[in-house]
Every structure is written in C-alpha cells, then in structure tokens.
Amino acid sequence: MGGKVAIVADRVGWEERRLMEAATAFDLEIEWVNDESLCLGDPDAGSISDYDAVLVRSRSYTRGGLLASLAEASRIPTLNSASAIHACENKLALRTVLRSAGVPVPDFRLVLSRRDFEKALEQLPLPLVLKPVFGGMGKRVTLLRHPDTAQSVYDYVEDLGHAFEQACLLEPYIEGGSVRCLVVGRELVAAARFVSGGSDWRNNAALGNRTETVDQQPELLKIVDSVVDVLGSGIYGVDLFDTPSGYVVNEVNHAPAFRGVAAATGVDIPAAVNRHVREVLG
C-alpha cells in the first residue's frame, strides 16, 4: 500500500466513512483510531508508530490540538498541523491571528464576566450574538434582540457554565446565510451557502439548514487564500459572512463536516482529501 493513515476521531461519522471508502483508489489504507485511546507522550508511542500519517478529525474542542502536537513530536506527518488546529479550536485566537494578518473578521468583544458583558452591550448595538469561545455545531450560540432579555440570558452563562464555558464572544448579528468553503491543501474545492430554515436563525449544516452552491468568484478565492496563508495548507472548513463591505471570516473548522457541501455542489470531497494525503506522503 502507498500509506497507512490513522483517522483520529471520537467516532466514525458520515465523513470518516466516506474517507475510508475512497482511500483504496489512492493506494491508501485508512483506519479509525479513537481519540481517547492513544495515550501519547512517549515519542515512540506504539498507538501511532505503525502509521505513516495522522488525520486529526476529533470533534472535541481541545483534544485535536493536543493530539496533533504529540503526533508531530513523534515525527509523523499530521493533518492538520498542531498550530493550525490550536488556532481553529479557539475562536478568539483564530480571530486575533487573522485580524493581525489583515484578514477581515467580524467586530467582537471578549466576555469573561458580567462586567465585560455590560460594557460590550454599551459599545455594540443590538441585535448581537453571544457565542462560546470554545464550541461548534451552532451549540450555545444565542441571538440577543432585546436589552431586557440580554441580562437574563447571561444568567445562564454565569450560573451554569464552568470557567472554560464562560469565555464568550459578543458580536453583531449579520443577517443572511453563511458560506462554507472546503479547502484541501491550498485549493478551494467547493463552496456552498447555508441558509437557516424554519424558526432556527442559526446557519449551520449540523442543524439541517438548506444549502446551495456558490460560485468561486475572485473575492471568495482571495479571502480563502489569505486564511491559508495564515494557517498553512491543510483541510479546512472556512465559514464566511457576506456583508455589504465584502466577506468576513466567522470561523475556520479544522475537522470540517462536508456532507452538506458535497450534496449541494456534487464535488467529490473525499477524493480531494485522499489525494492531498497521498501527496503529503510523497
């Protein structure tokens, strides 16, 4: 075989199954390895020593970067890089590095306390979105439309969240759908717009929103290139908001779900990912 690859994840979902099914066409053998069973730390850890590459698809908000760091220390090609995964797992870190590099991101305030929250409400006009720094799939993202309910919403963050969960971002609500761009290596292989349906305002494929294909116009390609310039080549889901002044980067997912984008565009994303892995192995 051309290479033996470990998909490190907490479970085998639709994406992981498709990646494993498509592997043989690229002379690859891909196996699932539970991200809770690696016990890394020893540079010669037996749990990954038999693999030629590690593809990190952990859905945890902390495990991926930690595991990637130790896999890299074991001198095993790791996708994505530990530095890229660490940035993607932390919405504040990601926006900070992107903004510092001149990549447009939404305005935001870091909220760590009730005092932060009240000051942010004074500085940013409603409606606003309150979201966790560590999180995904649209969970615990709250739309604040009215000042009389904002304080009550924050009660839940303050009283029920642990310190890790209390770190939030408050940002302006941007209407319309979001655009998910699937990047493999440095190439934008597919792009689709998520449009919220029914009574749920959130734009997220995990919530069953409607998707439609998006043309790869120059502005889209330019902003995706700028994200890859910052994070390095890899496999990403780059989520954009389309504003009157152009695209802004909302989030970047280091282990992107791509079922919705594949269905909307017809692009063979598993083949693109396997092709990239094969190129990395040489």
Side-chain angles (χ1 to χ4, degrees), residues 104-107 172-179 193 219 223 240-250:
V105 299
D107 192 10
Y173 170 54
I174 300 175
E175 293 190 72
S178 63
V179 176
R193 186 180 304 276
E219 183 187 0
I223 196 166
L240 310 175
F241 288 138
D242 194 358
T243 74
S245 57
Y247 287 112
V248 297
V249 179
N250 178 37

Side-chain angles (χ1 to χ4, degrees), residues 99-121:
R99 188 168 62 182
S100 297
V103 180
V105 299
D107 192 10
F108 67 89
R109 300 294 183 272
L110 174 63
V111 173
L112 299 176
S113 66
R114 175 81 64 171
R115 183 175 298 177
D116 272 343
F117 184 63
E118 292 174 345
K119 287 184 177 180
L121 288 175

Side-chain angles (χ1 to χ4, degrees), residues 20 144 190 216 251 258:
M20 289 188 283
L144 306 177
Q216 297 186 17
E251 298 177 7
F258 52 78

Side-chain angles (χ1 to χ4, degrees), residues 138 143 145 173-179 192-212 240-241:
L143 177 60
R145 294 186 184 274
Y173 170 54
I174 300 175
E175 293 190 72
S178 63
V179 176
R193 186 180 304 276
F194 296 155
V195 181
S196 61
S199 59
D200 197 325
W201 62 274
R202 294 169 294 177
N203 301 312
N204 192 293
L207 302 174
N209 293 166
R210 179 167 52 87
T211 58
E212 54 190 36
L240 310 175
F241 288 138

Side-chain angles (χ1 to χ4, degrees), residues 134-263:
F134 305 96
M137 301 178 71
K139 295 182 178 180
R140 296 196 298 119
V141 179
T142 307
L143 177 60
L144 306 177
R145 294 186 184 274
H146 306 290
D148 57 345
T149 59
Q151 296 291 344
S152 296
V153 168
Y154 193 75
D155 287 342
Y156 288 92
V157 176
E158 189 175 56
D159 295 344
L160 301 179
H162 300 292
F164 181 80
E165 298 166 332
Q166 288 180 354
C168 295
L169 299 181
L170 191 66
E171 62 187 46
Y173 170 54
I174 300 175
E175 293 190 72
S178 63
V179 176
R180 163 61 63 92
C181 301
L182 255 296
V183 176
V184 179
R186 293 195 60 93
E187 180 187 359
L188 174 58
V189 298
R193 186 180 304 276
F194 296 155
V195 181
S196 61
S199 59
D200 197 325
W201 62 274
R202 294 169 294 177
N203 301 312
N204 192 293
L207 302 174
N209 293 166
R210 179 167 52 87
T211 58
E212 54 190 36
T213 188
V214 173
D215 293 333
Q216 297 186 17
Q217 65 266 37
E219 183 187 0
L220 193 67
L221 293 169
K222 180 179 179 180
I223 196 166
V224 169
D225 283 344
S226 66
V227 171
V228 179
D229 285 341
V230 174
L231 297 178
S233 64
I235 302 162
Y236 305 112
V238 182
D239 292 340
L240 310 175
F241 288 138
D242 194 358
T243 74
S245 57
Y247 287 112
V248 297
V249 179
N250 178 37
E251 298 177 7
V252 180
N253 194 312
H254 73 275
F258 52 78
R259 185 173 187 172
V261 176

Side-chain angles (χ1 to χ4, degrees), residues 76-141:
I76 296 177
T78 305
L79 303 167
N80 291 319
S81 71
S83 61
I85 294 176
H86 279 302
C88 294
E89 288 174 332
N90 182 323
K91 293 183 180 66
L92 176 64
L94 177 70
R95 288 196 179 180
T96 300
V97 297
L98 291 179
R99 188 168 62 182
S100 297
V103 180
V105 299
D107 192 10
F108 67 89
R109 300 294 183 272
L110 174 63
V111 173
L112 299 176
S113 66
R114 175 81 64 171
R115 183 175 298 177
D116 272 343
F117 184 63
E118 292 174 345
K119 287 184 177 180
L121 288 175
E122 293 173 359
Q123 295 176 19
L124 300 173
L126 292 167
L128 295 168
V129 173
L130 183 68
K131 62 172 60 174
V133 169
F134 305 96
M137 301 178 71
K139 295 182 178 180
R140 296 196 298 119
V141 179

